[in-house]
Amino acid sequence: MLKISVVGCTGKLGKVIIKNILNDSELKLTSCIGRKGNQFIGQDISEIIGEEYKNISISDAIQMTDECDVFIDCTNAESFINQNAEQYLHKFKPVVIATTGFSDDDFIKIKQLAKQMPIIYSANYSIALYNYIESLKLVVKTINEKTDVRIIELHHNQKKDAPSGTAKKIQEALCEANPNLQKDNINISSVRGGNIFGEHRVVFVNEKDEILEYIHKVFSRESFAAGIIQASKWLSKQPIGYYTMNNFMN
């Protein structure tokens, strides 16, 4: 069985990931880590997932965890860079980065870390989203310079980064697929409200008064958790290096 440790376990995504691990016969949850000072430190994970006693206590230090095969980190960019990254250097285990909001300098540090262990990063681990982006890359190849391209992304009001990492990923994919496009030509609009899990719209408006709109919606965090777990299984078999969703899917 593949042994998994979840870092950022008390967050909304962390809880869903834990439940999925517990329900997967190929996986074993060996440890759960929360931030220092969190009210659940020292308590059993049953306190955060609302299920029966699991005999797994929540700790606040990565370096003190039991042995695992893969770390899943769903904390936040600041915690990962300033606290977690150095602790992973003491473990040399594969790390699935399941959070967004990293700066260009942060990615330089992440890729340096990937020289010591396998690391995968994706702004969005939804398998359907990957297929959505691949479809968009086919569409954008045929547009001309008179077509306006717009990205609209909607998320819950607690999301810290705007535009979303997924919207940026879509923007980059469109520019790569059509060299005539530049990032400055593809505006991203961000909407924050309520409990929206995630929605991305790409709109093509041409000079013939036609509009093409492509939409990807997420109705729960299950799709993210499922993709993260599949990526964890894949990453556990990879050599040291930096990987993306493209590497995983291909």
Side-chain angles (χ1 to χ4, degrees):
M1 296 176 69
L2 189 68
K3 295 178 287 187
I4 305 287
S5 178
V6 179
V7 184
C9 63
T10 61
K12 294 178 180 177
L13 178 58
K15 295 174 186 177
V16 179
I17 291 171
I18 287 173
K19 290 182 178 180
N20 277 264
I21 292 172
L22 292 172
N23 291 325
D24 192 319
S25 61
E26 297 178 354
L27 303 177
K28 180 180 180 181
L29 181 68
T30 56
S31 56
C32 293
I33 299 97
R35 71 178 185 278
K36 290 186 181 299
N38 185 280
Q39 60 177 322
F40 293 107
I41 300 300
Q43 298 188 40
D44 189 78
I45 61 167
S46 58
E47 294 295 325
I48 62 173
I49 62 174
E51 296 183 8
E52 67 275 9
Y53 185 69
K54 298 295 183 182
N55 197 27
I56 300 175
S57 295
I58 301 170
S59 70
D60 61 1
I62 293 169
Q63 68 266 30
M64 299 300 292
T65 60
D66 294 331
E67 284 301 311
C68 70
D69 298 313
V70 178
F71 284 101
I72 296 176
D73 191 308
C74 50
T75 54
N76 56 59
E78 182 181 2
S79 294
F80 185 92
I81 294 297
N82 297 329
Q83 300 169 28
N84 303 350
E86 184 176 351
Q87 297 185 67
Y88 290 131
L89 284 173
H90 297 284
K91 292 294 186 178
F92 296 103
K93 297 293 183 179
V95 180
V96 178
I97 302 177
T99 188
T100 60
F102 295 104
S103 66
D104 290 342
D105 287 341
D106 291 339
F107 278 113
I108 292 174
K109 295 177 182 178
I110 289 171
K111 290 178 180 179
Q112 285 294 321
L113 190 65
K115 294 180 180 179
Q116 306 293 323
M117 65 202 70
I119 290 179
I120 185 171
Y121 167 80
S122 177
N124 191 315
Y125 284 89
S126 163
I127 304 300
L129 179 82
Y130 176 86
N131 296 329
Y132 170 75
I133 293 176
E134 290 300 301
S135 298
L136 287 171
K137 286 161 69 174
L138 293 175
V139 175
V140 78
K141 285 180 179 179
T142 63
I143 69 168
N144 58 38
E145 67 279 0
K146 295 182 180 179
T147 300
D148 293 323
V149 184
R150 301 292 181 265
I151 299 171
I152 306 166
E153 56 98 354
L154 303 88
H155 285 88
H156 54 85
N157 56 22
Q158 299 300 310
K159 186 170 177 61
K160 295 180 180 180
D161 54 320
S164 69
T166 302
K168 292 179 180 178
K169 181 179 179 65
I170 293 171
Q171 184 187 56
E172 290 173 0
L174 296 178
C175 290
E176 289 174 2
N178 188 334
N180 294 321
L181 286 175
Q182 302 295 323
K183 286 185 179 180
D184 292 342
N185 303 129
I186 306 176
N187 294 337
I188 302 176
S189 300
S190 300
V191 178
R192 298 289 177 266
N195 295 313
I196 303 171
F197 287 108
E199 179 176 330
H200 292 85
R201 299 170 177 244
V202 178
V203 183
F204 299 94
V205 185
N206 66 25
E207 76 277 15
K208 297 186 174 80
D209 298 329
E210 295 175 312
I211 298 176
L212 286 175
E213 184 174 6
Y214 294 82
I215 304 174
H216 176 264
K217 294 184 180 181
V218 175
F219 295 97
S220 78
R221 292 180 177 84
E222 285 293 334
S223 62
F224 304 141
I228 288 166
I229 287 173
Q230 290 301 314
S232 300
K233 294 178 179 179
W234 177 83
L235 188 66
S236 69
K237 302 173 184 177
Q238 305 309 312
I240 290 171
Y242 177 78
Y243 300 94
T244 67
M245 200 66 171
N246 286 339
N247 300 123
F248 165 50
M249 291 298 295
N250 291 326

